[in-house]
Amino acid sequence: MSDVLDASPYDALLLLSFGGPEGPDDVVPFLENVTRGRGIPKERLKEVGQHYFQFGGVSPINDQNRALLDALREDFAEHGLDLPVYWGNRNWAPYLTDTLRDMVRDGRRRILVLATSAYASYSGCRQYRENLADALATLEKEGLELPKVDKLRHYFNHPGFVEPMVDGVIRSLDGLPEDVRDGAHIAFCTHSIPTAAADTSGPVEAHGDGGAYVAQHLDVARLIADAVRERTGVDHPWQLVYQSRSGAPHIPWLEPDICDHLEERKAAGVPAVVMAPIGFVSDHMEVLYDLDTEATAKAEELGLPVRRSATVGDDPRFAAAVRELVVERAAAESGRDVTRCALGALGPSHDLCPVGCCPARAPRPAAAGADSPYS
């Protein structure tokens, strides 16, 4: 990679996230945005929103994105990378379309997108690309000059994403009572998705049982488990488990669920478990509620000591990883030499999502891919 931090041809970075309510009055409108088109009654959304109401109607995700924005801007400034950073959400303010409109009015014409999802899947990648296409279509109708938008590659196996999670697992192990520490198992947690979506995640050649989604998580879990063994001298058994299932019960989703897994570990005589949420960039509501509340309550009911390790959040190493990914992509776009940083067996992900990658539930335009209508 060049010694000079050159972001050209890009003139801005867009942090693209899910969004979340910031008060009790936001909860139902936010959930209406998330479930738009599914015909879910408002009364049902109020029931679903109870875990938000438990925390005052506030999701931590927006504050966590503000912290990440600060970390990115600080890292870019310290390393001489002259690239403004904006922020837009899919489901709550600041909305993606509004932010993209502001970027165009600010004169931004080549935009890189960092999605707060590290892995390949429909909901974690293509749906963000569909939202980008929707936003661009709106700006086109408004008569604005459209920018060229590219998305940074999946960063699940970048050292700046993996290494903070290794530290988090080790801190969690250290926090367990000494008499159960060495026998503790590690439950690597991620969001469950329908098995059909998992099987078609990633490029077509990765489709099959679990697809790229499961393969990528397993690769990260192995990396962390191996690093923990090297640093502690203890080989902790581990398993990839799932959380946050939603949708119709007759549709198969990835299993086992974390609560079921805790029951199985207790029945097997395991003395303790560390829950490591490797599928999440920050400690947002699905970590705060599904792990810190529900799974922790289940562990207490079972009499099973548990600890939950931290996500990467605004760790400086993650901010540095984003900087490296920006410079890497800029170099590739400009025809300069590129060093792609990746750990594990899978290597660096593709820059451009190919045709057939994480196919949509129903055909919809998606930006920032080989099938983009906005080239």
PDB file of all heavy atoms in Angstrom, residues 124-162:
ATOM      1  N   GLY A 124     -27.480  -8.385   5.674  1.00  0.00           N
ATOM      2  CA  GLY A 124     -26.255  -7.711   6.085  1.00  0.00           C
ATOM      3  C   GLY A 124     -25.502  -7.036   4.965  1.00  0.00           C
ATOM      4  O   GLY A 124     -24.540  -6.306   5.227  1.00  0.00           O
ATOM      5  N   CYS A 125     -25.911  -7.269   3.713  1.00  0.00           N
ATOM      6  CA  CYS A 125     -25.200  -6.642   2.598  1.00  0.00           C
ATOM      7  C   CYS A 125     -26.168  -6.184   1.511  1.00  0.00           C
ATOM      8  O   CYS A 125     -26.353  -5.003   1.297  1.00  0.00           O
ATOM      9  CB  CYS A 125     -24.149  -7.590   2.018  1.00  0.00           C
ATOM     10  SG  CYS A 125     -23.169  -6.845   0.691  1.00  0.00           S
ATOM     11  N   ARG A 126     -26.801  -7.136   0.826  1.00  0.00           N
ATOM     12  CA  ARG A 126     -27.605  -6.730  -0.323  1.00  0.00           C
ATOM     13  C   ARG A 126     -28.732  -5.782   0.061  1.00  0.00           C
ATOM     14  O   ARG A 126     -29.044  -4.859  -0.694  1.00  0.00           O
ATOM     15  CB  ARG A 126     -28.192  -7.945  -1.049  1.00  0.00           C
ATOM     16  CG  ARG A 126     -28.925  -7.503  -2.321  1.00  0.00           C
ATOM     17  CD  ARG A 126     -29.479  -8.607  -3.170  1.00  0.00           C
ATOM     18  NE  ARG A 126     -30.208  -7.996  -4.278  1.00  0.00           N
ATOM     19  CZ  ARG A 126     -29.693  -7.721  -5.469  1.00  0.00           C
ATOM     20  NH1 ARG A 126     -28.421  -8.010  -5.715  1.00  0.00           N
ATOM     21  NH2 ARG A 126     -30.426  -7.153  -6.407  1.00  0.00           N
ATOM     22  N   GLN A 127     -29.360  -5.980   1.218  1.00  0.00           N
ATOM     23  CA  GLN A 127     -30.450  -5.082   1.601  1.00  0.00           C
ATOM     24  C   GLN A 127     -29.951  -3.647   1.768  1.00  0.00           C
ATOM     25  O   GLN A 127     -30.648  -2.694   1.419  1.00  0.00           O
ATOM     26  CB  GLN A 127     -31.128  -5.570   2.879  1.00  0.00           C
ATOM     27  CG  GLN A 127     -32.459  -4.873   3.140  1.00  0.00           C
ATOM     28  CD  GLN A 127     -33.263  -5.527   4.242  1.00  0.00           C
ATOM     29  OE1 GLN A 127     -32.745  -6.320   5.029  1.00  0.00           O
ATOM     30  NE2 GLN A 127     -34.537  -5.197   4.302  1.00  0.00           N
ATOM     31  N   TYR A 128     -28.738  -3.486   2.283  1.00  0.00           N
ATOM     32  CA  TYR A 128     -28.144  -2.150   2.348  1.00  0.00           C
ATOM     33  C   TYR A 128     -27.944  -1.591   0.938  1.00  0.00           C
ATOM     34  O   TYR A 128     -28.163  -0.405   0.690  1.00  0.00           O
ATOM     35  CB  TYR A 128     -26.806  -2.193   3.088  1.00  0.00           C
ATOM     36  CG  TYR A 128     -26.929  -2.272   4.593  1.00  0.00           C
ATOM     37  CD1 TYR A 128     -26.808  -3.482   5.261  1.00  0.00           C
ATOM     38  CD2 TYR A 128     -27.169  -1.125   5.345  1.00  0.00           C
ATOM     39  CE1 TYR A 128     -26.917  -3.558   6.643  1.00  0.00           C
ATOM     40  CE2 TYR A 128     -27.271  -1.191   6.731  1.00  0.00           C
ATOM     41  CZ  TYR A 128     -27.150  -2.407   7.366  1.00  0.00           C
ATOM     42  OH  TYR A 128     -27.268  -2.474   8.737  1.00  0.00           O
ATOM     43  N   ARG A 129     -27.527  -2.453   0.023  1.00  0.00           N
ATOM     44  CA  ARG A 129     -27.324  -2.020  -1.359  1.00  0.00           C
ATOM     45  C   ARG A 129     -28.658  -1.648  -2.014  1.00  0.00           C
ATOM     46  O   ARG A 129     -28.728  -0.716  -2.822  1.00  0.00           O
ATOM     47  CB  ARG A 129     -26.611  -3.118  -2.158  1.00  0.00           C
ATOM     48  CG  ARG A 129     -25.173  -3.382  -1.690  1.00  0.00           C
ATOM     49  CD  ARG A 129     -24.537  -4.553  -2.435  1.00  0.00           C
ATOM     50  NE  ARG A 129     -24.765  -4.422  -3.850  1.00  0.00           N
ATOM     51  CZ  ARG A 129     -25.179  -5.406  -4.648  1.00  0.00           C
ATOM     52  NH1 ARG A 129     -25.407  -6.613  -4.159  1.00  0.00           N
ATOM     53  NH2 ARG A 129     -25.361  -5.194  -5.923  1.00  0.00           N
ATOM     54  N   GLU A 130     -29.727  -2.384  -1.662  1.00  0.00           N
ATOM     55  CA  GLU A 130     -31.057  -2.020  -2.162  1.00  0.00           C
ATOM     56  C   GLU A 130     -31.486  -0.662  -1.629  1.00  0.00           C
ATOM     57  O   GLU A 130     -32.075   0.151  -2.357  1.00  0.00           O
ATOM     58  CB  GLU A 130     -32.069  -3.095  -1.765  1.00  0.00           C
ATOM     59  CG  GLU A 130     -31.878  -4.418  -2.500  1.00  0.00           C
ATOM     60  CD  GLU A 130     -32.823  -5.499  -2.022  1.00  0.00           C
ATOM     61  OE1 GLU A 130     -33.535  -5.276  -1.019  1.00  0.00           O
ATOM     62  OE2 GLU A 130     -32.856  -6.574  -2.648  1.00  0.00           O
ATOM     63  N   ASN A 131     -31.215  -0.419  -0.350  1.00  0.00           N
ATOM     64  CA  ASN A 131     -31.544   0.885   0.237  1.00  0.00           C
ATOM     65  C   ASN A 131     -30.780   2.011  -0.448  1.00  0.00           C
ATOM     66  O   ASN A 131     -31.324   3.101  -0.663  1.00  0.00           O
ATOM     67  CB  ASN A 131     -31.237   0.886   1.734  1.00  0.00           C
ATOM     68  CG  ASN A 131     -32.056  -0.107   2.529  1.00  0.00           C
ATOM     69  OD1 ASN A 131     -31.563  -0.707   3.477  1.00  0.00           O
ATOM     70  ND2 ASN A 131     -33.307  -0.310   2.159  1.00  0.00           N
ATOM     71  N   LEU A 132     -29.525   1.754  -0.798  1.00  0.00           N
ATOM     72  CA  LEU A 132     -28.750   2.745  -1.542  1.00  0.00           C
ATOM     73  C   LEU A 132     -29.388   3.017  -2.901  1.00  0.00           C
ATOM     74  O   LEU A 132     -29.491   4.178  -3.327  1.00  0.00           O
ATOM     75  CB  LEU A 132     -27.307   2.259  -1.727  1.00  0.00           C
ATOM     76  CG  LEU A 132     -26.382   2.379  -0.516  1.00  0.00           C
ATOM     77  CD1 LEU A 132     -25.113   1.556  -0.728  1.00  0.00           C
ATOM     78  CD2 LEU A 132     -26.027   3.843  -0.248  1.00  0.00           C
ATOM     79  N   ALA A 133     -29.826   1.961  -3.575  1.00  0.00           N
ATOM     80  CA  ALA A 133     -30.475   2.138  -4.878  1.00  0.00           C
ATOM     81  C   ALA A 133     -31.767   2.935  -4.735  1.00  0.00           C
ATOM     82  O   ALA A 133     -32.072   3.808  -5.565  1.00  0.00           O
ATOM     83  CB  ALA A 133     -30.748   0.779  -5.520  1.00  0.00           C
ATOM     84  N   ASP A 134     -32.547   2.654  -3.687  1.00  0.00           N
ATOM     85  CA  ASP A 134     -33.779   3.409  -3.444  1.00  0.00           C
ATOM     86  C   ASP A 134     -33.469   4.888  -3.229  1.00  0.00           C
ATOM     87  O   ASP A 134     -34.175   5.770  -3.757  1.00  0.00           O
ATOM     88  CB  ASP A 134     -34.507   2.858  -2.214  1.00  0.00           C
ATOM     89  CG  ASP A 134     -35.093   1.469  -2.437  1.00  0.00           C
ATOM     90  OD1 ASP A 134     -35.232   1.062  -3.605  1.00  0.00           O
ATOM     91  OD2 ASP A 134     -35.406   0.801  -1.436  1.00  0.00           O
ATOM     92  N   ALA A 135     -32.434   5.164  -2.439  1.00  0.00           N
ATOM     93  CA  ALA A 135     -32.068   6.554  -2.164  1.00  0.00           C
ATOM     94  C   ALA A 135     -31.616   7.264  -3.438  1.00  0.00           C
ATOM     95  O   ALA A 135     -31.993   8.421  -3.695  1.00  0.00           O
ATOM     96  CB  ALA A 135     -30.969   6.603  -1.106  1.00  0.00           C
ATOM     97  N   LEU A 136     -30.817   6.579  -4.242  1.00  0.00           N
ATOM     98  CA  LEU A 136     -30.359   7.177  -5.492  1.00  0.00           C
ATOM     99  C   LEU A 136     -31.526   7.429  -6.438  1.00  0.00           C
ATOM    100  O   LEU A 136     -31.565   8.457  -7.135  1.00  0.00           O
ATOM    101  CB  LEU A 136     -29.319   6.274  -6.151  1.00  0.00           C
ATOM    102  CG  LEU A 136     -27.960   6.196  -5.437  1.00  0.00           C
ATOM    103  CD1 LEU A 136     -27.116   5.063  -6.005  1.00  0.00           C
ATOM    104  CD2 LEU A 136     -27.203   7.525  -5.554  1.00  0.00           C
ATOM    105  N   ALA A 137     -32.491   6.514  -6.457  1.00  0.00           N
ATOM    106  CA  ALA A 137     -33.670   6.703  -7.313  1.00  0.00           C
ATOM    107  C   ALA A 137     -34.457   7.939  -6.876  1.00  0.00           C
ATOM    108  O   ALA A 137     -34.963   8.702  -7.722  1.00  0.00           O
ATOM    109  CB  ALA A 137     -34.557   5.461  -7.256  1.00  0.00           C
ATOM    110  N   THR A 138     -34.546   8.166  -5.574  1.00  0.00           N
ATOM    111  CA  THR A 138     -35.242   9.350  -5.070  1.00  0.00           C
ATOM    112  C   THR A 138     -34.515  10.623  -5.494  1.00  0.00           C
ATOM    113  O   THR A 138     -35.141  11.592  -5.951  1.00  0.00           O
ATOM    114  CB  THR A 138     -35.349   9.293  -3.537  1.00  0.00           C
ATOM    115  OG1 THR A 138     -36.144   8.160  -3.168  1.00  0.00           O
ATOM    116  CG2 THR A 138     -35.996  10.552  -2.982  1.00  0.00           C
ATOM    117  N   LEU A 139     -33.201  10.622  -5.353  1.00  0.00           N
ATOM    118  CA  LEU A 139     -32.422  11.805  -5.750  1.00  0.00           C
ATOM    119  C   LEU A 139     -32.529  12.051  -7.256  1.00  0.00           C
ATOM    120  O   LEU A 139     -32.573  13.210  -7.705  1.00  0.00           O
ATOM    121  CB  LEU A 139     -30.956  11.639  -5.347  1.00  0.00           C
ATOM    122  CG  LEU A 139     -30.661  11.452  -3.856  1.00  0.00           C
ATOM    123  CD1 LEU A 139     -29.173  11.542  -3.589  1.00  0.00           C
ATOM    124  CD2 LEU A 139     -31.414  12.444  -2.996  1.00  0.00           C
ATOM    125  N   GLU A 140     -32.580  10.963  -8.023  1.00  0.00           N
ATOM    126  CA  GLU A 140     -32.724  11.099  -9.475  1.00  0.00           C
ATOM    127  C   GLU A 140     -34.055  11.757  -9.819  1.00  0.00           C
ATOM    128  O   GLU A 140     -34.122  12.646 -10.684  1.00  0.00           O
ATOM    129  CB  GLU A 140     -32.615   9.718 -10.118  1.00  0.00           C
ATOM    130  CG  GLU A 140     -32.542   9.741 -11.631  1.00  0.00           C
ATOM    131  CD  GLU A 140     -32.259   8.367 -12.203  1.00  0.00           C
ATOM    132  OE1 GLU A 140     -32.767   7.367 -11.645  1.00  0.00           O
ATOM    133  OE2 GLU A 140     -31.536   8.288 -13.210  1.00  0.00           O
ATOM    134  N   LYS A 141     -35.126  11.363  -9.133  1.00  0.00           N
ATOM    135  CA  LYS A 141     -36.439  11.979  -9.350  1.00  0.00           C
ATOM    136  C   LYS A 141     -36.441  13.453  -8.973  1.00  0.00           C
ATOM    137  O   LYS A 141     -37.200  14.249  -9.533  1.00  0.00           O
ATOM    138  CB  LYS A 141     -37.506  11.232  -8.545  1.00  0.00           C
ATOM    139  CG  LYS A 141     -37.822   9.842  -9.077  1.00  0.00           C
ATOM    140  CD  LYS A 141     -38.832   9.135  -8.177  1.00  0.00           C
ATOM    141  CE  LYS A 141     -39.098   7.712  -8.657  1.00  0.00           C
ATOM    142  NZ  LYS A 141     -40.013   6.978  -7.741  1.00  0.00           N
ATOM    143  N   GLU A 142     -35.600  13.805  -8.017  1.00  0.00           N
ATOM    144  CA  GLU A 142     -35.508  15.203  -7.581  1.00  0.00           C
ATOM    145  C   GLU A 142     -34.629  16.039  -8.504  1.00  0.00           C
ATOM    146  O   GLU A 142     -34.479  17.245  -8.304  1.00  0.00           O
ATOM    147  CB  GLU A 142     -34.956  15.260  -6.159  1.00  0.00           C
ATOM    148  CG  GLU A 142     -35.889  14.649  -5.121  1.00  0.00           C
ATOM    149  CD  GLU A 142     -35.276  14.561  -3.728  1.00  0.00           C
ATOM    150  OE1 GLU A 142     -34.094  14.961  -3.569  1.00  0.00           O
ATOM    151  OE2 GLU A 142     -35.960  14.099  -2.800  1.00  0.00           O
ATOM    152  N   GLY A 143     -34.045  15.382  -9.510  1.00  0.00           N
ATOM    153  CA  GLY A 143     -33.226  16.107 -10.481  1.00  0.00           C
ATOM    154  C   GLY A 143     -31.817  16.384 -10.033  1.00  0.00           C
ATOM    155  O   GLY A 143     -31.111  17.201 -10.651  1.00  0.00           O
ATOM    156  N   LEU A 144     -31.352  15.700  -8.978  1.00  0.00           N
ATOM    157  CA  LEU A 144     -29.990  15.910  -8.492  1.00  0.00           C
ATOM    158  C   LEU A 144     -28.996  15.064  -9.284  1.00  0.00           C
ATOM    159  O   LEU A 144     -29.332  13.984  -9.772  1.00  0.00           O
ATOM    160  CB  LEU A 144     -29.898  15.554  -7.012  1.00  0.00           C
ATOM    161  CG  LEU A 144     -30.711  16.439  -6.060  1.00  0.00           C
ATOM    162  CD1 LEU A 144     -30.628  15.903  -4.642  1.00  0.00           C
ATOM    163  CD2 LEU A 144     -30.209  17.880  -6.112  1.00  0.00           C
ATOM    164  N   GLU A 145     -27.781  15.558  -9.380  1.00  0.00           N
ATOM    165  CA  GLU A 145     -26.715  14.806 -10.042  1.00  0.00           C
ATOM    166  C   GLU A 145     -26.329  13.630  -9.146  1.00  0.00           C
ATOM    167  O   GLU A 145     -25.990  13.820  -7.975  1.00  0.00           O
ATOM    168  CB  GLU A 145     -25.505  15.697 -10.294  1.00  0.00           C
ATOM    169  CG  GLU A 145     -24.370  14.992 -11.007  1.00  0.00           C
ATOM    170  CD  GLU A 145     -23.175  15.898 -11.237  1.00  0.00           C
ATOM    171  OE1 GLU A 145     -23.296  17.120 -11.004  1.00  0.00           O
ATOM    172  OE2 GLU A 145     -22.116  15.375 -11.643  1.00  0.00           O
ATOM    173  N   LEU A 146     -26.364  12.418  -9.685  1.00  0.00           N
ATOM    174  CA  LEU A 146     -26.113  11.244  -8.861  1.00  0.00           C
ATOM    175  C   LEU A 146     -24.624  10.978  -8.696  1.00  0.00           C
ATOM    176  O   LEU A 146     -23.855  11.033  -9.663  1.00  0.00           O
ATOM    177  CB  LEU A 146     -26.776  10.012  -9.478  1.00  0.00           C
ATOM    178  CG  LEU A 146     -28.296  10.038  -9.589  1.00  0.00           C
ATOM    179  CD1 LEU A 146     -28.800   8.676 -10.058  1.00  0.00           C
ATOM    180  CD2 LEU A 146     -28.938  10.420  -8.269  1.00  0.00           C
ATOM    181  N   PRO A 147     -24.211  10.667  -7.471  1.00  0.00           N
ATOM    182  CA  PRO A 147     -22.817  10.294  -7.258  1.00  0.00           C
ATOM    183  C   PRO A 147     -22.600   8.831  -7.626  1.00  0.00           C
ATOM    184  O   PRO A 147     -23.554   8.054  -7.731  1.00  0.00           O
ATOM    185  CB  PRO A 147     -22.645  10.485  -5.750  1.00  0.00           C
ATOM    186  CG  PRO A 147     -23.999  10.149  -5.199  1.00  0.00           C
ATOM    187  CD  PRO A 147     -24.996  10.648  -6.234  1.00  0.00           C
ATOM    188  N   LYS A 148     -21.343   8.438  -7.804  1.00  0.00           N
ATOM    189  CA  LYS A 148     -21.009   7.010  -7.939  1.00  0.00           C
ATOM    190  C   LYS A 148     -20.733   6.483  -6.540  1.00  0.00           C
ATOM    191  O   LYS A 148     -19.943   7.069  -5.792  1.00  0.00           O
ATOM    192  CB  LYS A 148     -19.788   6.813  -8.831  1.00  0.00           C
ATOM    193  CG  LYS A 148     -19.498   5.337  -9.117  1.00  0.00           C
ATOM    194  CD  LYS A 148     -18.328   5.166 -10.055  1.00  0.00           C
ATOM    195  CE  LYS A 148     -18.164   3.709 -10.491  1.00  0.00           C
ATOM    196  NZ  LYS A 148     -18.036   2.767  -9.374  1.00  0.00           N
ATOM    197  N   VAL A 149     -21.417   5.403  -6.198  1.00  0.00           N
ATOM    198  CA  VAL A 149     -21.342   4.859  -4.847  1.00  0.00           C
ATOM    199  C   VAL A 149     -20.754   3.455  -4.872  1.00  0.00           C
ATOM    200  O   VAL A 149     -21.219   2.596  -5.630  1.00  0.00           O
ATOM    201  CB  VAL A 149     -22.743   4.827  -4.192  1.00  0.00           C
ATOM    202  CG1 VAL A 149     -22.667   4.223  -2.802  1.00  0.00           C
ATOM    203  CG2 VAL A 149     -23.333   6.234  -4.128  1.00  0.00           C
ATOM    204  N   ASP A 150     -19.722   3.224  -4.062  1.00  0.00           N
ATOM    205  CA  ASP A 150     -19.121   1.904  -3.903  1.00  0.00           C
ATOM    206  C   ASP A 150     -19.187   1.509  -2.433  1.00  0.00           C
ATOM    207  O   ASP A 150     -19.192   2.369  -1.545  1.00  0.00           O
ATOM    208  CB  ASP A 150     -17.654   1.903  -4.350  1.00  0.00           C
ATOM    209  CG  ASP A 150     -17.505   2.074  -5.854  1.00  0.00           C
ATOM    210  OD1 ASP A 150     -18.360   1.554  -6.592  1.00  0.00           O
ATOM    211  OD2 ASP A 150     -16.540   2.734  -6.284  1.00  0.00           O
ATOM    212  N   LYS A 151     -19.201   0.212  -2.173  1.00  0.00           N
ATOM    213  CA  LYS A 151     -19.258  -0.303  -0.807  1.00  0.00           C
ATOM    214  C   LYS A 151     -17.946  -0.998  -0.463  1.00  0.00           C
ATOM    215  O   LYS A 151     -17.412  -1.767  -1.268  1.00  0.00           O
ATOM    216  CB  LYS A 151     -20.433  -1.275  -0.672  1.00  0.00           C
ATOM    217  CG  LYS A 151     -20.618  -1.890   0.692  1.00  0.00           C
ATOM    218  CD  LYS A 151     -21.845  -2.803   0.692  1.00  0.00           C
ATOM    219  CE  LYS A 151     -21.988  -3.558   2.013  1.00  0.00           C
ATOM    220  NZ  LYS A 151     -20.928  -4.563   2.198  1.00  0.00           N
ATOM    221  N   LEU A 152     -17.414  -0.704   0.731  1.00  0.00           N
ATOM    222  CA  LEU A 152     -16.214  -1.392   1.184  1.00  0.00           C
ATOM    223  C   LEU A 152     -16.471  -2.890   1.315  1.00  0.00           C
ATOM    224  O   LEU A 152     -17.569  -3.326   1.648  1.00  0.00           O
ATOM    225  CB  LEU A 152     -15.757  -0.841   2.540  1.00  0.00           C
ATOM    226  CG  LEU A 152     -15.126   0.554   2.532  1.00  0.00           C
ATOM    227  CD1 LEU A 152     -14.900   1.028   3.965  1.00  0.00           C
ATOM    228  CD2 LEU A 152     -13.809   0.557   1.766  1.00  0.00           C
ATOM    229  N   ARG A 153     -15.437  -3.672   1.088  1.00  0.00           N
ATOM    230  CA  ARG A 153     -15.573  -5.129   1.154  1.00  0.00           C
ATOM    231  C   ARG A 153     -15.887  -5.583   2.580  1.00  0.00           C
ATOM    232  O   ARG A 153     -15.705  -4.854   3.554  1.00  0.00           O
ATOM    233  CB  ARG A 153     -14.303  -5.808   0.651  1.00  0.00           C
ATOM    234  CG  ARG A 153     -13.050  -5.587   1.511  1.00  0.00           C
ATOM    235  CD  ARG A 153     -11.897  -6.420   0.957  1.00  0.00           C
ATOM    236  NE  ARG A 153     -10.612  -6.134   1.567  1.00  0.00           N
ATOM    237  CZ  ARG A 153     -10.124  -6.760   2.640  1.00  0.00           C
ATOM    238  NH1 ARG A 153     -10.845  -7.678   3.259  1.00  0.00           N
ATOM    239  NH2 ARG A 153      -8.922  -6.469   3.104  1.00  0.00           N
ATOM    240  N   HIS A 154     -16.344  -6.823   2.696  1.00  0.00           N
ATOM    241  CA  HIS A 154     -16.605  -7.407   4.007  1.00  0.00           C
ATOM    242  C   HIS A 154     -15.303  -7.463   4.805  1.00  0.00           C
ATOM    243  O   HIS A 154     -14.267  -7.885   4.291  1.00  0.00           O
ATOM    244  CB  HIS A 154     -17.184  -8.812   3.857  1.00  0.00           C
ATOM    245  CG  HIS A 154     -18.459  -8.857   3.067  1.00  0.00           C
ATOM    246  ND1 HIS A 154     -19.573  -8.149   3.444  1.00  0.00           N
ATOM    247  CD2 HIS A 154     -18.786  -9.511   1.929  1.00  0.00           C
ATOM    248  CE1 HIS A 154     -20.542  -8.371   2.573  1.00  0.00           C
ATOM    249  NE2 HIS A 154     -20.094  -9.180   1.639  1.00  0.00           N
ATOM    250  N   TYR A 155     -15.403  -7.081   6.078  1.00  0.00           N
ATOM    251  CA  TYR A 155     -14.195  -6.940   6.896  1.00  0.00           C
ATOM    252  C   TYR A 155     -14.166  -7.911   8.067  1.00  0.00           C
ATOM    253  O   TYR A 155     -13.414  -7.722   9.032  1.00  0.00           O
ATOM    254  CB  TYR A 155     -14.091  -5.497   7.407  1.00  0.00           C
ATOM    255  CG  TYR A 155     -15.371  -4.933   7.990  1.00  0.00           C
ATOM    256  CD1 TYR A 155     -15.753  -5.176   9.309  1.00  0.00           C
ATOM    257  CD2 TYR A 155     -16.223  -4.154   7.201  1.00  0.00           C
ATOM    258  CE1 TYR A 155     -16.921  -4.657   9.828  1.00  0.00           C
ATOM    259  CE2 TYR A 155     -17.403  -3.627   7.716  1.00  0.00           C
ATOM    260  CZ  TYR A 155     -17.739  -3.887   9.027  1.00  0.00           C
ATOM    261  OH  TYR A 155     -18.913  -3.378   9.544  1.00  0.00           O
ATOM    262  N   PHE A 156     -14.941  -8.980   7.995  1.00  0.00           N
ATOM    263  CA  PHE A 156     -15.042  -9.934   9.096  1.00  0.00           C
ATOM    264  C   PHE A 156     -13.700 -10.501   9.511  1.00  0.00           C
ATOM    265  O   PHE A 156     -13.487 -10.831  10.687  1.00  0.00           O
ATOM    266  CB  PHE A 156     -16.000 -11.077   8.722  1.00  0.00           C
ATOM    267  CG  PHE A 156     -15.535 -11.902   7.557  1.00  0.00           C
ATOM    268  CD1 PHE A 156     -14.779 -13.044   7.741  1.00  0.00           C
ATOM    269  CD2 PHE A 156     -15.856 -11.531   6.248  1.00  0.00           C
ATOM    270  CE1 PHE A 156     -14.343 -13.802   6.672  1.00  0.00           C
ATOM    271  CE2 PHE A 156     -15.430 -12.280   5.167  1.00  0.00           C
ATOM    272  CZ  PHE A 156     -14.665 -13.414   5.368  1.00  0.00           C
ATOM    273  N   ASN A 157     -12.760 -10.660   8.569  1.00  0.00           N
ATOM    274  CA  ASN A 157     -11.473 -11.269   8.889  1.00  0.00           C
ATOM    275  C   ASN A 157     -10.316 -10.280   8.851  1.00  0.00           C
ATOM    276  O   ASN A 157      -9.150 -10.678   8.782  1.00  0.00           O
ATOM    277  CB  ASN A 157     -11.188 -12.452   7.955  1.00  0.00           C
ATOM    278  CG  ASN A 157     -11.236 -12.058   6.478  1.00  0.00           C
ATOM    279  OD1 ASN A 157     -11.466 -10.899   6.138  1.00  0.00           O
ATOM    280  ND2 ASN A 157     -11.040 -13.035   5.603  1.00  0.00           N
ATOM    281  N   HIS A 158     -10.619  -8.989   8.928  1.00  0.00           N
ATOM    282  CA  HIS A 158      -9.553  -8.001   9.020  1.00  0.00           C
ATOM    283  C   HIS A 158      -9.013  -8.006  10.449  1.00  0.00           C
ATOM    284  O   HIS A 158      -9.781  -8.077  11.410  1.00  0.00           O
ATOM    285  CB  HIS A 158     -10.077  -6.602   8.659  1.00  0.00           C
ATOM    286  CG  HIS A 158      -8.986  -5.608   8.415  1.00  0.00           C
ATOM    287  ND1 HIS A 158      -8.222  -5.081   9.437  1.00  0.00           N
ATOM    288  CD2 HIS A 158      -8.528  -5.053   7.262  1.00  0.00           C
ATOM    289  CE1 HIS A 158      -7.338  -4.232   8.923  1.00  0.00           C
ATOM    290  NE2 HIS A 158      -7.498  -4.205   7.610  1.00  0.00           N
ATOM    291  N   PRO A 159      -7.685  -7.923  10.635  1.00  0.00           N
ATOM    292  CA  PRO A 159      -7.132  -7.942  11.994  1.00  0.00           C
ATOM    293  C   PRO A 159      -7.737  -6.889  12.920  1.00  0.00           C
ATOM    294  O   PRO A 159      -7.912  -7.144  14.125  1.00  0.00           O
ATOM    295  CB  PRO A 159      -5.638  -7.684  11.770  1.00  0.00           C
ATOM    296  CG  PRO A 159      -5.373  -8.143  10.389  1.00  0.00           C
ATOM    297  CD  PRO A 159      -6.622  -7.880   9.600  1.00  0.00           C
ATOM    298  N   GLY A 160      -8.074  -5.722  12.374  1.00  0.00           N
ATOM    299  CA  GLY A 160      -8.639  -4.664  13.198  1.00  0.00           C
ATOM    300  C   GLY A 160     -10.039  -4.962  13.689  1.00  0.00           C
ATOM    301  O   GLY A 160     -10.535  -4.289  14.616  1.00  0.00           O
ATOM    302  N   PHE A 161     -10.689  -5.948  13.097  1.00  0.00           N
ATOM    303  CA  PHE A 161     -11.992  -6.407  13.579  1.00  0.00           C
ATOM    304  C   PHE A 161     -11.831  -7.610  14.501  1.00  0.00           C
ATOM    305  O   PHE A 161     -12.509  -7.719  15.529  1.00  0.00           O
ATOM    306  CB  PHE A 161     -12.884  -6.776  12.387  1.00  0.00           C
ATOM    307  CG  PHE A 161     -14.304  -7.134  12.743  1.00  0.00           C
ATOM    308  CD1 PHE A 161     -15.179  -6.180  13.232  1.00  0.00           C
ATOM    309  CD2 PHE A 161     -14.770  -8.430  12.582  1.00  0.00           C
ATOM    310  CE1 PHE A 161     -16.495  -6.505  13.554  1.00  0.00           C
ATOM    311  CE2 PHE A 161     -16.088  -8.765  12.892  1.00  0.00           C
ATOM    312  CZ  PHE A 161     -16.948  -7.792  13.387  1.00  0.00           C
ATOM    313  N   VAL A 162     -10.905  -8.495  14.177  1.00  0.00           N
ATOM    314  CA  VAL A 162     -10.739  -9.740  14.939  1.00  0.00           C
ATOM    315  C   VAL A 162     -10.011  -9.507  16.262  1.00  0.00           C
ATOM    316  O   VAL A 162     -10.429 -10.027  17.319  1.00  0.00           O
ATOM    317  CB  VAL A 162      -9.984 -10.785  14.093  1.00  0.00           C
ATOM    318  CG1 VAL A 162      -9.679 -12.035  14.911  1.00  0.00           C
ATOM    319  CG2 VAL A 162     -10.789 -11.153  12.849  1.00  0.00           C
TER     320      VAL A 162
END
